[in-house]
Amino acid sequence: MSSIPGNSSKEISSDKSLLRAAVGIDDMAVYIPSLYLPLTGEFSRQRDIDPEKLTRGIGVERMAVPDAHEDAATMAAMSLLELMRRCDLQPGDIGKIYLGTESAVDEAKAMGTYVIGMLERVYGSGSFQGCSTVEFKSACIGTTLALESISYWVAAGEDERIGVVIATDVARYPLHSPGEYTQGAGSVSLLVKRDPRIAALEQIYGCFTRDENDFFRPLGCATATVNGKHSNQCYLDAMQGAFASYAAQAAQKGLIAPKRGECTTDWIEHLLFHIPYPRMVEYASAAILRQDWRNSRHWKNVEAEIGVEPEPQNYADLEKYQVDLAGYARSFARSRYFQQAYNAKVKDSAALSRQVGNIYTGSIYLGLASLLELRKVQAKERLCFGAYGSGCSALVFSARAMPGISSVPSRGLFERLERRREISLQEYELLHEGEGKESLNRPSEEFVLARIDHQGYRHYEYVR
Ligand code: HMG
């Protein structure tokens, strides 16, 4: 194989793991609202932010904005409808719909029941009555926990039907806050079945959970409360903990067996992380690769470029040690050796997020969609996912690309994003504050929230 740092020169592993884990993602559909706000220009001028900070420092260019008739439920129904049409699925083929969201529209009623109600407007009343649905809430990691759970149901094989996992969210922070330019909206639907065409799950899950106040949305609040810098650190701590757990389990089960000088990421072709904003993926991969390379052959190349990492036993002053260690971490992230591995294994997964923003629980799967649309994944390659949810929890797991991956048609997502309508800052602010009651794009061939009645029940329709 290539001389990319972090890739060994051997075939990635035997085909045994493919046979052992033949449950996974067969196809996926993505729905992104048809309105967007460019973050350079009017937004950066009015907010007095250097556009370079947004495009380079944060890594975003455009923010997807839901129209007045859209919410998390309509977006979920749109991605599911597209998945069913792409895969020629009928309602009776689907046994379970597990839906991850932190943009709930009801405190009790599962969003999936609204979604089923919408789909029945297309497929006929009662057509989904044999399908169960449940909502997974765990900030941005909810969909991944749903995927883990549904994969065991599919693997049990007691029901011939397939499972669907839906991620759907509107990421919303207060206007003028530092979270504002990371907002986005969208939904991803995953088809989970045996003998999947895209990727088979290897069923090893490294987990890390800790009670944190990094990001939360108390009952009744429309926007999240976020302790921004602290949230970045929680994300990194959790990801490092979950990756260590994944690596230990993968070694113990013989899935990844690094030889002398090798490390776990040598056995991984693609690292995908939760993407609150694209730069976070760079921070995450720097933290994971620094941890993973430290005891491997890569470390001498790192030391040759940026010197020796500070060690606590050489310091009398703990604060000074921490300052020097943080400086070393920054040098590592800027090093050529790391950047080469980052470009090869990680960077492309953030391509769609740059045009969309954070879609919370679906953003890691938007990362998968980026790789698929760019045709970056080849059969047999290993994808390692690092999901994160505030509060906080991380889950690291892997999947192997299947031979059928090249037969799955493109979704034309990059072209579709180019066809969106640009909106003004004023239009965006009205929609954000719930004051833009009229749709900016007249709905056509889509689900709409028609009204909310006096009891708070939501009425959805399909507009042809
Ligand atoms: P901030 O204050 O906007 O950013 O906060 P900053 O000042 O730290 O700057 C960010 C980067 O831009 C830095 O790069 C700056 O140097 C650079 P670095 O030094 O790290 O390489 N920069 C510039 N670059 C070029 N030209 C310039 C320039 N100026 C500065 N002129 C923060 C950023 C993410 C904290 C904020 O946007 C925020 O609070 N966002 C919301 C929370 C969030 O996204 N947290 C991420 C981790 S938590 C998570 O992922 C969970 C979540 O998805 C929710 C869930 O789980 O449900 C959020």
Side-chain angles (χ1 to χ4, degrees):
M1 223 181 280
S2 66
S3 60
I4 294 161
N7 270 13
S8 72
S9 56
K10 64 187 163 345
E11 179 74 3
I12 279 230
S13 79
S14 77
D15 280 348
K16 265 196 275 171
S17 62
L18 281 182
L19 298 173
R20 196 172 54 216
V23 168
I25 301 171
D26 185 74
D27 201 356
M28 65 190 296
V30 176
Y31 176 78
I32 303 297
S34 58
L35 305 178
Y36 78 89
L37 179 73
L39 292 176
T40 49
E42 200 186 2
F43 177 85
S44 58
R45 270 197 310 280
Q46 291 293 329
R47 298 289 187 265
D48 196 20
I49 303 172
D50 180 352
E52 286 269 299
K53 176 192 170 156
L54 300 175
T55 55
R56 291 165 59 99
I58 300 291
V60 285
E61 290 166 17
R62 294 172 174 183
M63 174 202 297
V65 180
D67 209 332
H69 59 269
E70 295 187 293
D71 65 11
T74 62
M75 295 193 303
M78 290 300 289
S79 71
L80 176 55
L81 181 62
E82 181 178 327
L83 185 75
M84 291 182 68
R85 286 179 171 161
R86 269 177 73 79
C87 300
D88 200 17
L89 292 173
Q90 293 305 310
D93 299 331
I94 305 174
K96 290 186 187 298
I97 297 175
Y98 286 0
L99 187 150
T101 189
E102 56 182 289
S103 313
V105 293
D106 196 283
E107 303 280 14
K109 181 175 159 63
M111 190 184 288
T113 56
Y114 275 129
V115 172
I116 280 175
M118 283 185 253
L119 270 288
E120 287 192 350
R121 289 177 173 273
V122 176
Y123 288 95
S125 177
S127 53
F128 281 84
Q129 66 186 15
C131 170
S132 61
T133 183
V134 64
E135 196 169 312
F136 279 64
K137 183 189 77 176
S138 194
C140 293
I141 204 172
T143 297
T144 297
L145 297 173
L147 175 63
E148 179 190 15
S149 191
I150 216 163
S151 70
Y152 289 124
W153 173 75
V154 173
E158 282 163 18
D159 191 321
E160 291 293 295
R161 294 175 297 169
I162 55 98
V164 170
V165 173
I166 308 179
T168 188
D169 271 308
V170 180
R172 194 170 279 149
Y173 299 91
L175 295 177
H176 301 272
S177 72
E180 187 182 18
Y181 36 82
T182 66
Q183 294 176 132
S187 173
V188 177
S189 282
L190 305 174
L191 168 50
V192 184
K193 65 184 279 288
R194 284 160 170 266
D195 302 320
R197 285 172 301 165
I198 292 180
L201 296 164
E202 295 187 302
Q203 301 302 42
I204 290 181
Y205 296 89
C207 183
F208 180 99
T209 301
R210 179 168 82 191
D211 179 19
E212 281 293 350
N213 68 343
D214 57 332
F215 168 108
F216 52 99
R217 185 161 66 86
L219 291 175
C221 296
T223 55
T225 298
V226 59
N227 297 308
K229 298 278 152 59
H230 179 54
S231 74
N232 284 354
Q233 194 52 52
C234 289
Y235 177 126
L236 296 179
D237 290 352
M239 200 60 77
Q240 286 180 303
F243 187 83
S245 164
Y246 166 83
Q249 291 181 61
Q252 197 233 331
K253 292 182 178 160
L255 186 74
I256 292 181
K259 296 189 192 67
R260 205 178 153 77
E262 290 180 357
C263 56
T264 305
T265 51
D266 286 344
W267 296 60
I268 293 168
E269 301 282 358
H270 304 278
L271 277 163
L272 297 95
F273 295 99
H274 165 56
I275 316 175
Y277 55 96
R279 271 314 288 295
M280 189 73 221
V281 165
E282 194 176 332
Y283 302 151
S285 41
I288 294 303
L289 289 176
R290 191 157 66 95
Q291 168 175 309
D292 193 47
W293 284 353
R294 207 171 269 132
N295 296 312
S296 76
R297 66 191 164 88
H298 300 290
W299 203 242
K300 66 175 186 329
N301 297 319
V302 172
E303 288 186 334
E305 191 180 340
I306 62 167
V308 177
E309 189 173 33
E311 291 189 21
Q313 63 269 25
N314 299 333
Y315 286 81
D317 178 352
L318 185 65
E319 246 175 60
K320 169 91 175 91
Y321 163 66
Q322 276 160 351
V323 169
D324 285 1
L325 190 64
Y328 191 83
R330 276 195 298 279
S331 303
F332 178 87
R334 283 197 286 261
S335 70
R336 275 192 313 279
Y337 199 70
F338 163 71
Q339 285 290 334
Q340 213 182 322
Y342 168 72
N343 287 332
K345 284 180 191 260
V346 189
K347 190 177 176 191
D348 290 327
S349 65
L352 288 166
S353 296
R354 289 180 209 288
Q355 306 300 323
V356 172
N358 193 357
I359 64 166
Y360 285 161
T361 190
S363 78
I364 189 168
Y365 303 102
L366 194 60
L368 176 61
S370 293
L371 295 187
L372 297 178
E373 293 298 296
L374 295 168
R375 297 276 174 207
K376 291 285 176 183
V377 186
Q378 310 301 321
K380 294 190 185 177
E381 288 182 340
R382 176 172 283 122
L383 302 126
C384 181
F385 296 81
Y388 176 74
S390 291
C392 72
S393 201
L395 202 68
V396 171
F397 65 100
S398 56
R400 293 283 301 277
M402 298 295 278
I405 193 164
S406 54
S407 69
V408 179
S410 156
R411 294 144 204 89
L413 286 173
F414 287 101
E415 297 77 9
R416 278 159 61 182
L417 292 182
E418 283 310 309
R419 291 198 294 272
R420 290 178 296 175
R421 170 173 165 186
E422 178 179 333
I423 58 173
S424 67
L425 185 63
Q426 191 193 13
E427 288 171 321
Y428 149 74
E429 289 186 345
L430 287 172
L431 286 169
H432 186 281
E433 297 302 289
E435 289 160 12
K437 302 287 181 212
E438 294 298 317
S439 299
L440 297 181
N441 269 344
R442 202 153 63 89
S444 161
E445 299 294 332
E446 65 184 284
F447 296 107
V448 300
L449 172 61
R451 67 188 172 92
I452 303 174
D453 70 22
H454 68 286
Q455 289 187 309
Y457 183 79
R458 302 166 87 86
H459 295 261
Y460 293 98
E461 284 170 12
Y462 186 72
V463 176
R464 290 185 199 273

